[in-house]
């Protein structure tokens, strides 16, 4: 009975982690979509300001209207955001974090075991043979 409870508890924990990871990914994609919509609206606003309302009409960088550079710069940041959501998180998502955690924990366990062996070798407990024969 206890083993059945442990198994179901572990499944619930795994399901909760999967659910939380899915929620996190949904939030990331939602933020990216919001960023895209704001980018489109902002780009249209920049064009209207410059072309229709003549705002900053005389300001040009390298012979190009300012709004073109502003849109390109904003697009660059949007592109970084998209790469982060779709590629970096796939490569370095929850599974990658778990693998890294397991690797580091194993490395630490190995180092602790090596240190323990070194301590036992350099500083053995006195009468360790007598204690084991008394306990047997």
């Amino acid at each position: 009975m206890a083993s059945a409870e442990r198994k179901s508890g572990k499944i619930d924990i795994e399901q909760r982690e999967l659910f939380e990871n899915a929620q996190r990914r949904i939030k990331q994609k939602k933020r990216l979509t919001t960023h895209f919509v704001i980018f489109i609206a902002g780009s249209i606003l920049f064009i209207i300001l410059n072309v229709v309302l003549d705002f900053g009409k005389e300001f040009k960088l390298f012979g190009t209207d300012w709004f073109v550079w502003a849109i390109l710069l904003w697009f660059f940041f949007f592109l970084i955001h998209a790469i982060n959501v779709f590629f970096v998180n796939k490569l370095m998502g929850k599974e990658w974090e778990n693998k890294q955690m397991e690797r580091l924990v194993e490395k630490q366990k190995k180092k602790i075991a090596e240190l323990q062996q070194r301590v036992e070798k350099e500083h053995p407990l006195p009468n360790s043979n007598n204690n084991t024969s008394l306990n047997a």
Side-chain angles (χ1 to χ4, degrees):
M1 207 190 276
S3 65
E5 289 177 11
R6 286 183 190 158
K7 285 183 181 177
S8 67
K10 187 173 183 178
I11 290 173
D12 290 340
I13 291 170
E14 289 174 357
Q15 287 177 342
R16 187 183 65 202
E17 284 180 4
L18 290 172
F19 182 75
E20 288 171 355
N21 187 39
Q23 280 184 323
R24 186 176 55 83
R25 291 290 292 155
I26 288 169
K27 283 181 182 179
Q28 287 176 337
K29 290 179 180 181
K30 184 178 178 181
R31 288 181 189 136
L32 181 66
T33 304
T34 303
H35 188 175
F36 179 71
V37 170
I38 293 171
F39 166 71
I40 296 297
S43 297
I44 291 170
L45 180 66
F46 287 164
I47 293 169
I48 290 172
L49 281 172
N50 187 262
V51 176
V52 178
L53 301 177
D54 291 334
F55 180 78
K57 190 78 165 177
E58 60 282 343
F59 183 69
K60 295 182 185 241
L61 295 171
F62 303 109
T64 306
D65 290 326
W66 66 269
F67 73 92
V68 174
W69 292 105
I71 292 171
L72 286 174
L73 183 66
W74 196 349
F75 179 73
F76 175 73
F77 289 123
F78 174 75
L79 195 59
I80 290 173
H81 189 173
I83 289 170
N84 185 35
V85 169
F86 290 113
F87 297 109
V88 174
N89 280 329
K90 262 190 180 176
L91 296 175
M92 299 170 129
K94 195 68 173 170
E95 289 178 23
W96 180 83
E97 287 178 16
N98 290 338
K99 286 179 185 177
Q100 292 299 313
M101 182 69 77
E102 288 174 13
R103 185 179 66 82
L104 291 173
V105 167
E106 286 300 317
K107 193 175 184 180
Q108 289 174 349
K109 284 181 181 179
K110 184 179 176 183
K111 191 167 190 169
I112 289 170
E114 289 172 358
L115 287 172
Q116 183 66 33
Q117 288 176 351
R118 197 167 116 202
V119 167
E120 289 173 357
K121 185 178 177 182
E122 292 177 4
H123 306 288
L125 293 174
N127 299 327
S128 61
N129 291 336
N130 291 341
N131 290 340
T132 56
S133 63
L134 293 175
N135 291 336

